[in-house]
Amino acid sequence: MKNNLLLKDNIYWIGKIDDRKVPFHRLILEKGTTYNSYLLKTEKPTIIDTVDIMYSREFVENLKEHINLEDLKYIVINHVEPDHAGALPALLNKAPNATIVTNAKAQELLNGMFKFYDKNYLIIKDGDSLDIGGKTLKFLETPYLHTEETMITYALEDKILFPCDIFSSHIATYDLFNDLSKDDIDEDFKVYYKLIMSPHRNYVKDMIGKIKNLEIEIIAPSHGFILRKNVEKYIKLYDNMSDIPTENLSKKALILYNSMTGNTGKIGGNISEGLRDSNIDTTVLNLKSLSFEEIKEKVIESDLILIGSSTKYGDMIGNTEEILKEIIKLDLSDKYLAAFGSYGWSGEAIEIINDYLKNSNGKVFDTSYIIKVTSDNSIKLPLRVRFYNDNEGKKLSIKTGRILGELLLK
């Protein structure tokens, strides 16, 4: 291998530089990108991530020049998208003795994508470590940065963080290392954060908390420059960019609900908790004894309005429909809307509320919108919680609030 591909003792970059104008997430990467893969030539040779699926054959052929693929022991998959795990089938075809190291969610996705049911897996959990023969890898789960299964890998002795998409930049650089670049890379770094990571601001903060006690000398991400100069600067940039901008602190949300047994009210309270995590000023009102005139002012001053109801005999309860009919007569063109509720059988009330909202001139948050903006398909809108409980139902509702808060800020 060329010396300029060496990160540290026996750790090599083995990726692919893609200097085309690359289609990516409905964008065109005008500066291209790199697919960064890494080989750790230890007693138990290990690869961390692969390259885009279209370069599978080239990737495997290149590897053959540097290692007997039958000796490959581990392949760490931090993230399952095809630009990271795409070459895995071709690699495993030539490396039959290798074990895939990843988490349970990623295993489920890999099996679904590639039918890897007969492959060897080592399933890790947050905080687990693995001895690869002279080096130790530590794994941290970082969900939604930017997909649910994402994790990061830390080489303990070498003080190298392999954070997958985190700390990446989209640029086809032949310099590879940021200290070799003649240009200022900060703008590309910030643009990548804005496009990929900003919808997951709260999860960035969680990640920063997990890595703050690690000694990090090099950050080796999956795209763009490997950071071996001013590492702390780039971690601080992520931390600062994940702060809630002060101009957004005036955003307001209104949660209106009717509840039979209290469960829909609990969901509304949980959503408000998630919204407040994003510093959204949130008001929760029980519709049971309120008239439209009492809530009209709150509706007008709010940026996000959520309306929820329990379901009784296939319909909304109490004065929910009466209030809804008046709300959708207002000018809601500058507001976002969403429906929620608990149910035991089929939950028609939640869908009826959603139909009303779609007939307004407001912008309705739904599952399609969330997936396109955040790549998160773990929550559905309208939010329908069957037989609410204080474990899963609560977690789902808080998470929904957090995501709605991020969408509102975005």
Side-chain angles (χ1 to χ4, degrees):
M1 284 186 179
K2 295 179 181 180
N3 290 333
N4 67 342
L5 297 182
L6 179 69
L7 275 70
K8 258 195 171 183
D9 183 36
N10 290 323
I11 300 180
Y12 299 90
W13 179 89
I14 51 168
K16 170 67 180 178
I17 297 168
D18 190 348
D19 55 10
R20 303 172 299 143
K21 292 184 177 182
V22 181
F24 186 83
H25 285 261
R26 293 184 61 79
L27 302 170
I28 298 296
L29 305 180
E30 297 289 338
K31 296 182 178 181
T33 192
T34 68
Y35 309 108
N36 298 338
S37 176
Y38 304 94
L39 170 64
L40 287 67
K41 295 184 75 174
T42 60
E43 296 170 17
K44 302 174 183 178
T46 299
I47 286 174
I48 298 179
D49 293 320
T50 68
V51 300
D52 189 87
I53 192 169
M54 70 183 295
Y55 299 111
S56 296
R57 182 174 179 179
E58 180 182 343
F59 176 70
V60 172
E61 291 302 313
N62 177 59
L63 267 175
K64 287 180 180 179
E65 297 180 14
H66 306 295
I67 185 175
N68 182 346
L69 292 181
E70 291 190 356
D71 293 335
L72 188 63
K73 178 64 175 177
Y74 297 117
I75 305 169
V76 177
I77 297 296
N78 284 320
H79 175 40
V80 174
E81 278 196 311
D83 56 327
H84 304 268
L88 187 56
L91 177 56
L92 285 174
N93 187 47
K94 301 296 183 181
N97 301 316
T99 294
I100 304 168
V101 181
T102 195
N103 57 50
K105 185 63 182 179
Q107 179 189 28
E108 176 187 335
L109 293 170
L110 288 170
N111 286 345
M113 289 170 60
F114 300 128
K115 305 298 185 284
F116 279 170
Y117 301 105
D118 60 343
K119 303 301 181 183
N120 296 321
Y121 281 97
L122 176 60
I123 301 303
I124 62 92
K125 295 180 181 178
D126 189 48
D128 282 354
S129 296
L130 175 64
D131 181 354
I132 60 170
K135 297 183 186 294
T136 307
L137 300 182
K138 182 179 178 68
F139 306 102
L140 298 171
E141 293 186 284
T142 52
Y144 304 107
L145 295 179
H146 61 110
T147 54
E148 185 178 6
E149 84 289 354
T150 303
M151 66 184 203
I152 61 180
T153 302
Y154 175 66
L156 192 64
E157 292 83 5
D158 298 286
K159 301 177 183 177
I160 300 178
L161 184 69
F162 300 94
C164 197
D165 276 328
I166 308 165
F167 302 115
S168 284
S169 54
H170 277 312
I171 181 168
T173 172
Y174 288 85
D175 294 323
L176 285 174
F177 300 102
N178 69 319
D179 56 312
L180 298 181
S181 175
K182 299 178 180 63
D183 301 316
D184 183 356
I185 73 165
D186 288 8
E187 190 58 33
D188 290 313
F189 187 84
K190 291 174 183 177
V191 167
Y192 184 98
Y193 176 93
K194 181 179 180 181
L195 293 175
I196 306 297
M197 294 296 163
S198 64
H200 313 279
R201 189 191 317 261
N202 283 319
Y203 296 104
V204 172
K205 286 293 190 183
D206 293 342
M207 179 274 298
I208 295 291
K210 287 189 174 187
I211 69 170
K212 66 180 180 181
N213 294 322
L214 300 178
E215 292 185 69
I216 303 172
E217 294 183 355
I218 296 175
I219 296 178
S222 289
H223 299 292
F225 284 101
I226 297 167
L227 307 172
R228 63 180 183 185
K229 179 183 178 183
N230 296 329
V231 168
E232 291 183 0
K233 166 190 170 181
Y234 292 102
I235 295 175
K236 187 65 175 177
L237 269 174
Y238 255 57
D239 198 12
N240 290 341
M241 288 188 291
S242 298
D243 290 336
I244 304 297
T246 55
E247 63 267 24
N248 287 325
L249 296 181
S250 60
K251 294 289 186 180
K252 293 184 177 182
L254 175 63
I255 299 175
L256 306 170
Y257 73 91
N258 255 318
S259 189
M260 287 193 301
T261 64
N263 285 339
T264 297
K266 289 180 180 178
I267 295 170
N270 298 152
I271 294 172
S272 72
E273 182 178 338
L275 285 164
R276 287 168 183 147
D277 284 344
S278 296
N279 285 349
I280 306 297
D281 182 4
T282 306
T283 300
V284 183
L285 296 177
N286 188 334
L287 291 173
K288 184 175 181 180
S289 55
L290 294 176
S291 67
F292 175 67
E293 289 305 315
E294 291 175 289
I295 66 170
K296 181 178 178 180
E297 183 178 346
K298 290 288 186 184
V299 169
I300 291 172
E301 69 181 22
S302 296
D303 302 288
L304 170 65
I305 301 159
L306 295 105
I307 301 176
S309 174
S310 306
T311 298
K312 183 178 181 181
Y313 300 134
D315 206 349
M316 296 170 284
I317 64 169
N319 60 345
T320 308
E321 189 162 21
E322 172 189 331
I323 297 293
L324 261 173
K325 287 179 178 179
E326 295 302 318
I327 287 176
I328 66 171
K329 292 177 184 177
L330 299 174
D331 180 8
L332 305 175
S333 58
D334 62 343
K335 305 184 187 304
Y336 290 95
L337 313 169
F340 71 94
S342 66
Y343 69 102
W345 282 266
S346 47
E348 293 89 345
I350 307 159
E351 299 298 335
I352 295 170
I353 293 171
N354 200 55
D355 288 342
Y356 267 104
L357 298 180
K358 288 191 291 185
N359 284 324
S360 75
N361 68 343
K363 297 176 279 288
V364 180
F365 279 142
D366 59 13
T367 301
S368 173
Y369 185 90
I370 289 174
I371 290 174
K372 285 181 287 192
V373 173
T374 72
S375 303
D376 186 344
N377 64 358
S378 65
I379 73 166
K380 313 294 181 188
L381 281 181
L383 177 62
R384 309 171 78 253
V385 182
R386 189 177 190 187
F387 295 120
Y388 174 92
N389 62 69
D390 289 327
N391 184 18
E392 292 304 316
K394 181 178 180 179
K395 288 195 295 185
L396 178 62
S397 302
I398 292 173
K399 180 179 175 183
T400 300
R402 289 180 72 173
I403 288 178
L404 289 172
E406 288 304 311
L407 292 174
L408 189 60
L409 293 175
K410 187 171 176 65

